[in-house]
């Protein structure tokens, strides 16, 4: 059944056996690369497939692993991405690829069996230009599992459809994405001036061009979050900064949920300042205590999430969850406010720049 919306543009539907190109930027991913590649090449789709790896200047064994994989499988193509930026690497991989459907894969992720076949069916059925599904965060260490629980919580990342939505339909953006090449070429692929949030900006241009971006909850991808506290904080500060930059550029087109973390940071700073003034006797009166209400409410919300069914099974898990949530929200909000004031400029996600990790079992 064709689900196109009247008055909207339909993306072309190539023949079933026309082929699929998977594209994956890689930087310091020795712990995850083999599994990410294996889950990608295991996808069963009609027609030929290829996987293009855009290799950044890794300081771990990622490049050696990629060369080993490419030598063993002719479907794997390597391109250099000396700039290391994700959108640059994606564009390099797309330009080096051949087939009419582009599937973005993250080296920190694993495609579940049947993902690509179902995505192709959804693209054909809806005539969308891009389709995405649900990010299923997972973890191995207690810390990484706590981050995964936060990712999968509506409180953790603000309730976007791809963090647990269940209703199929048109969407603002898509996690990773399965694209029609002709539409990518028409709208100009990824904006290389945007280092984070490049997917949201690309999907905005796709929608502006009249095409549909589609969310299909039957699609899912396993995502492995950052493994340490410093990496998590650096990642979310950079993500928040680039969201602030996108707000500077596109204003109201950004969802209101993106403003919750910066509001939290402003409320926390106000609470601390007033608290100091109260302690020193400069400020008195019951009304001044109202400034603490937002932070108190936030602390209660974090506690409710940690103690609820999504907080983990043991008390240690719940404590990790309670600690991780503000470790995501506060850096994100601080980065956002900094970028609103000054722009993201050359902000990079430094959590990706250090390698040398112990391989996973």
């Amino acid at each position: 059944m064709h689900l196109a919306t009247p008055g909207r543009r339909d993306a072309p539907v190539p023949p079933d056996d026309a082929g699929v190109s998977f594209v994956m930027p890689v930087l310091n991913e020795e712990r995850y690369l083999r599994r990410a590649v294996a889950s990608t090449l295991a996808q069963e789709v009609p027609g030929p497939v290829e996987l293009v790896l855009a290799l950044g200047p890794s300081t771990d064994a990622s490049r050696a692993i990629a060369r080993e994989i490419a030598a063993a499988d002719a479907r794997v193509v390597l391109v250099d991405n000396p700039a290391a930026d994700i959108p640059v690497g994606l564009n390099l991989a797309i330009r080096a690829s051949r087939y009419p459907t582009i599937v973005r894969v993250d080296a920190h992720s694993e495609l579940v069996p049947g993902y690509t076949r179902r995505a192709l069916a959804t693209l054909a059925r809806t005539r969308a230009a891009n389709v995405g599904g649900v990010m299923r965060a997972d973890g191995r260490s207690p810390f990484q599992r706590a981050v995964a629980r936060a990712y999968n919580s509506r409180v953790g990342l603000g309730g976007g459809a791809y963090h647990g939505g269940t209703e199929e339909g048109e969407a603002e953006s898509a996690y990773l994405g399965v694209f029609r090449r002709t539409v990518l070429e028409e709208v100009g692929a990824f904006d290389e001036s945007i280092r984070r949030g490049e997917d949201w900006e690309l999907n905005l241009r796709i929608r502006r061009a009249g095409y549909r971006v589609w969310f299909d909850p039957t699609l899912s991808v396993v995502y492995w979050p950052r493994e340490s506290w410093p990496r998590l904080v650096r990642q979310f500060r950079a993500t928040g900064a680039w969201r602030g930059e996108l707000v500077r550029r596109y204003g109201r087109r950004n969802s209101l949920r993106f403003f919750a973390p910066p509001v939290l940071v402003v409320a926390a700073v106000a609470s601390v300042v007033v608290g100091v003034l109260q302690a020193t006797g400069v400020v008195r009166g019951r009304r001044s205590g109202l400034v603490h209400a937002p932070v108190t409410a936030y602390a209660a919300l974090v506690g409710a999430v940690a103690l609820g069914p999504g907080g983990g099974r043991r008390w240690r898990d719940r404590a990790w969850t309670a600690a991780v949530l503000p470790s995501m929200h506060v850096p994100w909000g601080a980065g956002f406010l900094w970028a609103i004031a000054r722009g993201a400029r050359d902000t990079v996600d430094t959590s990706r720049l250090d390698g040398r990790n112990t391989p996973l079992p």
Side-chain angles (χ1 to χ4, degrees), residues 301-312 317-319 321-322 325:
L301 177 62
V302 170
V305 172
L307 295 174
D317 296 332
R318 299 180 188 280
T321 300
L325 284 169

Side-chain angles (χ1 to χ4, degrees), residues 160-197:
Y162 54 83
H163 293 300
T166 58
E167 186 173 341
E168 182 179 12
E170 291 194 50
E172 175 185 33
S173 187
Y175 176 57
L176 298 181
V178 181
F179 303 85
R180 295 304 191 194
R181 176 187 293 277
T182 55
V183 176
L184 285 180
E185 292 174 345
E186 176 185 337
V187 302
F190 290 93
D191 184 339
E192 296 181 3
S193 73
I194 299 174
R195 286 175 161 167
R196 302 283 294 180

